[in-house]
Amino acid sequence: MAEPTHILRGERECQYCGLFQHVPRLAAGDSACCGRCGATLRHGTKDTLARALPCAVGAIFLFILALQLPFLDVTAVGHTYRATMFTGPAELDQRGMWGISLVVLVTLVAMPALQLLLLVAVLIGLQLPDPPRGLPLLFGLVERIRPWSMTEVFLLGVFVAYSRLQVIAAVQVGPALFALGGVMLCLVAADVELDHEAVWEALEARGLLHIREPPKVQRRIGCDCCRLVLLAPSGWPCPRCGRRLRQRKRQSLVRSWALLASATALYLPANILPIITVIRFGQGQPSTIWRGVVELAQANMWPLAILVFLASLIVPLVKLVGLTGMMLMTHDGSALWLRQRTALYRAVDTVGRWSMIDVFMLTVLVALVHMGFVATVYPGPGAMAFAAVVVLTMFASAAFDPRLMWDAALRQGHVAAVPPEAHAEAQAQALQPS
């Protein structure tokens, strides 16, 4: 079958600055970076399908073990308390914190399981003589749910909880924790080995491309899901993944402002109200996030204190201030620090999920410390507000389209656009890894 003329092979739109550029063929280990903002457009791997599949399959088996086995045992006054990945959410639900319980179940169980199952289904489906027609849709979902899969964040939360539990009772690490560590390593290996563009190309090669000739248009548009670039109108279905094509995210600034305002309103209660209360032998007092950092520092656990301080206090604040500044400067059409702002957006969009450490730490403590008069942990109202801040800022970051910053600066004449005849000069650079 002849190549569709409206599909522009080798073209790629940078999802951060909107520049269309040619991406050269990459050898294994090479990376292609945007010539304007420096974002990575593609990294080359060797035998991506064959190498990623064993990692994903291994992660599934380990995840099944982690769901069934205990990850921590606590022994105090002759009694042993055991926690699985479902114990904490169940305890939170019983104490009226169903919102946090739902967030934990989604990010710790549902999303990692769905991510692994979809990825394995796609990679195995590509090996079949007659691949299912729905594989492109499944693979499109893998990328969208990946930020909400937080196995590695949970492990850090368990580590913080383990450090606090040691002063209360004897703690023993269970087999599920080692299984979760294996899941994390397998996911990292699969992510390193997986070239998403190569998977999309393999799906096309197996005849899963839905060709539908669009009206004659001359404007390039890139798919936000599979990164295919073609000549088509906004709203046209992508022939590769089926998602509707958009020049920019719909109502990006409006949705981002609404989510950011909600998160900002909750940020102060999240830090003023107690997030946890530990009662030991009838004594104790509520503890805020800041007090938890101080307690870790007073116990000479400085690495953990710094980690919690950065993840729970600094990162949410940087996201709120950073996104607010980006949107205000977008409205103003400013080109000031444009490349740096784009890099900041990539950073906050990546690290924002790590603020869930305190939520997972609370989940572990509530699951294990219910020893009556000896020691009991109660979740505080600040925990609900803090979890909402993390979720809302993640949604706000996802709703904001950083390409709008470059569009606004271009409209004000602050940034020189790259004309079609100079397209070769905007070619992505292939960089050897250091």
Side-chain angles (χ1 to χ4, degrees):
M1 185 174 64
E3 174 72 9
T5 57
H6 64 285
I7 295 180
L8 306 178
R9 296 296 180 191
E11 298 282 316
R12 181 67 67 90
E13 180 190 17
C14 178
Q15 60 180 315
Y16 297 105
C17 72
L19 180 65
F20 288 94
Q21 50 210 298
H22 177 72
V23 176
R25 287 195 172 274
L26 302 175
D30 286 356
S31 295
C33 297
C34 176
R36 185 158 72 175
C37 72
T40 300
L41 299 175
R42 184 179 180 181
H43 69 273
T45 59
K46 183 179 180 181
D47 299 329
T48 181
L49 302 181
R51 295 188 177 192
L53 181 57
C55 298
V57 171
I60 286 181
F61 283 111
L62 290 172
F63 194 68
I64 292 173
L65 291 176
L67 291 176
Q68 296 178 339
L69 299 173
F71 64 85
L72 281 181
D73 290 342
V74 171
T75 302
V77 292
H79 295 280
T80 298
Y81 302 87
R82 178 167 292 178
T84 68
M85 292 171 64
F86 297 100
T87 308
E91 287 289 334
L92 287 169
D93 183 55
Q94 290 180 4
R95 299 185 187 192
M97 295 286 183
W98 63 267
I100 301 180
S101 175
L102 180 62
V103 169
V104 172
L105 284 174
V106 169
T107 57
L108 178 59
V109 179
M111 289 303 178
L114 186 60
Q115 178 190 3
L116 288 170
L117 291 173
L118 291 177
L119 182 57
V120 169
V122 171
L123 296 179
I124 291 180
L126 282 171
Q127 313 298 324
L128 301 177
D130 185 20
R133 305 298 296 179
L135 289 185
L137 176 62
L138 298 184
F139 191 62
L141 290 174
V142 172
E143 186 71 16
R144 298 174 67 180
I145 67 176
R146 185 170 61 172
W148 299 96
S149 175
M150 302 187 185
T151 304
E152 69 278 26
V153 184
F154 176 75
L155 287 173
L156 273 180
V158 172
F159 186 51
V160 176
Y162 177 86
S163 302
R164 302 191 68 168
L165 282 169
Q166 284 185 314
V167 301
I168 299 176
V171 187
Q172 184 177 358
V173 176
L177 206 59
F178 296 102
L180 276 180
V183 171
M184 182 190 70
L185 293 176
C186 287
L187 282 173
V188 170
D191 191 55
V192 170
E193 296 294 341
L194 192 64
D195 180 356
H196 287 248
E197 183 64 24
V199 176
W200 286 116
E201 291 171 353
L203 290 169
E204 290 186 37
R206 298 305 307 274
L208 300 178
L209 181 67
H210 303 284
I211 302 298
R212 182 183 172 192
E213 195 73 25
K216 296 298 180 182
V217 293
Q218 297 300 320
R219 187 166 185 176
R220 286 175 296 181
I221 188 170
C223 178
D224 289 335
C225 179
C226 68
R227 312 302 175 199
L228 183 69
V229 175
L230 63 157
L231 297 172
S234 182
W236 196 259
C238 175
R240 191 154 70 173
C241 68
R243 191 172 180 179
R244 294 288 175 180
L245 300 171
R246 305 289 178 188
Q247 291 290 347
R248 296 295 181 260
K249 295 178 182 179
R250 298 178 61 183
Q251 300 292 318
S252 173
L253 291 177
V254 174
R255 291 188 292 122
S256 298
W257 275 123
L259 292 165
L260 196 62
S262 301
T264 303
L266 290 170
Y267 181 76
L268 194 59
N271 287 276
I272 292 179
L273 296 176
I275 191 174
I276 191 173
T277 301
V278 180
I279 305 297
R280 297 185 63 193
F281 300 105
Q283 296 183 344
Q285 59 182 336
S287 176
T288 62
I289 296 175
W290 171 249
R291 183 174 177 82
V293 173
V294 172
E295 289 174 353
L296 288 172
Q298 290 175 344
N300 291 323
M301 300 178 185
W302 284 101
L304 285 180
I306 294 173
L307 174 65
V308 174
F309 175 73
L310 292 175
S312 300
L313 292 173
I314 299 301
V315 170
L317 182 61
V318 169
K319 289 194 73 172
L320 293 174
V321 174
L323 287 173
T324 300
M326 292 177 204
M327 289 189 286
L328 288 174
M329 296 178 80
T330 299
H331 282 291
D332 190 49
S334 173
L336 186 64
W337 304 319
L338 195 51
R339 187 181 175 101
Q340 290 80 2
R341 275 188 280 148
T342 308
L344 175 62
Y345 172 80
R346 295 199 300 267
V348 299
D349 189 51
T350 301
V351 304
R353 58 205 295 272
W354 289 91
S355 298
M356 285 289 291
I357 288 177
D358 256 340
V359 175
F360 288 135
M361 181 262 310
L362 172 67
T363 303
V364 175
L365 292 179
V366 169
L368 288 167
V369 187
H370 43 84
M371 308 169 187
F373 180 76
V374 177
T376 303
V377 169
Y378 300 96
M384 183 72 77
F386 181 75
V389 169
V390 177
V391 172
L392 288 170
T393 53
M394 288 183 65
F395 276 124
S397 178
F400 179 65
D401 194 333
R403 295 172 294 184
L404 295 176
M405 297 190 294
W406 295 83
D407 294 345
L410 282 169
R411 285 194 297 269
Q412 297 294 328
H414 296 313
V415 180
V418 179
E421 59 270 21
H423 182 66
E425 298 177 5
Q427 185 175 14
Q429 302 169 355
L431 304 177
Q432 290 290 345
S434 56

